[in-house]
Amino acid sequence: MSARARSWARLDAELAAGNFEDKFLSLVSEGENPADLSWRVFGIRWRVMRQWIEGSNELMREFECAKRAGADKLMYEALAEVKGADVETVGLAKLRADRYDRMAGKLDRKQWGDKVEVSVEQPISIVDVLREARGRVIDVEEEKPLLPNPGGVTI
């Protein structure tokens, strides 16, 4: 039996035992690394775990929510690092807080990241846009001045 097949069998056994999803998602929401967690705690290869998660829209939504909760935890840990720093540990506290902040921004771009979301609330008709573009092309061609043809040579 291949390692991948053993991982799927292990996943099936964990699911049959019950409470697996809640345990996994709870640990992810506490900031645990899901790839490390799947192997270290459950003995399941991350590739298999990831395929299982992505195979269900509901489970994928719950996984994304757990990651966002983990991002919140990282931000609160960053604040605790800064608050608990003294003169001798301020450099280390800053390094940790910056790292936590950056990772939280990657896990939850909307809450903690720098990503700006742009949305268009008004519908746009591509037909009208094309019609307007064609009108501009025709206008430019009509406005082109005719150049005199010196010497009667046509190029």
Side-chain angles (χ1 to χ4, degrees):
M1 180 183 282
S2 71
R4 187 167 180 237
R6 283 192 303 272
S7 285
W8 278 108
R10 179 80 177 128
L11 177 61
D12 289 339
E14 288 287 346
L15 290 170
N19 207 23
F20 171 71
E21 289 177 27
D22 289 337
K23 186 176 179 182
F24 175 74
L25 293 171
S26 176
L27 290 169
V28 169
S29 70
E30 289 297 317
E32 292 283 337
N33 175 349
D36 181 53
L37 179 67
S38 70
W39 181 251
R40 183 176 40 85
V41 175
F42 300 106
I44 301 168
R45 295 183 180 275
W46 175 237
R47 179 177 173 208
V48 170
M49 185 74 84
R50 184 72 187 211
Q51 285 177 328
W52 170 68
I53 291 168
E54 290 178 353
S56 165
N57 288 336
E58 181 182 343
L59 185 56
M60 191 64 189
R61 279 192 304 274
E62 289 181 27
F63 180 64
E64 292 298 325
C65 182
K67 289 191 321 184
R68 288 192 304 272
D72 292 347
K73 185 173 189 264
L74 282 173
M75 288 305 295
Y76 296 128
E77 286 179 16
L79 288 173
E81 282 285 337
V82 172
K83 286 180 180 179
D86 57 23
V87 175
E88 293 157 5
T89 61
V90 72
L92 180 59
K94 180 177 178 0
L95 174 69
R96 286 181 178 163
D98 288 348
R99 189 70 236 155
Y100 293 163
D101 180 48
R102 179 177 278 165
M103 190 64 197
K106 289 179 185 283
L107 291 172
D108 188 355
R109 292 188 187 279
K110 188 174 183 181
Q111 180 74 21
W112 305 112
D114 295 331
K115 182 178 176 184
V116 176
E117 289 190 29
V118 177
S119 65
V120 177
E121 300 294 326
Q122 184 178 10
I124 299 172
S125 168
I126 191 71
V127 174
D128 294 338
V129 171
L130 288 173
R131 190 175 298 131
E132 185 180 324
R134 283 190 189 120
R136 285 193 307 257
V137 170
I138 292 170
D139 290 344
V140 169
E141 288 178 358
E142 290 174 358
E143 294 175 7
K144 234 192 257 183
L146 295 173
L147 298 175
N149 190 352
V153 178
T154 306
I155 299 177

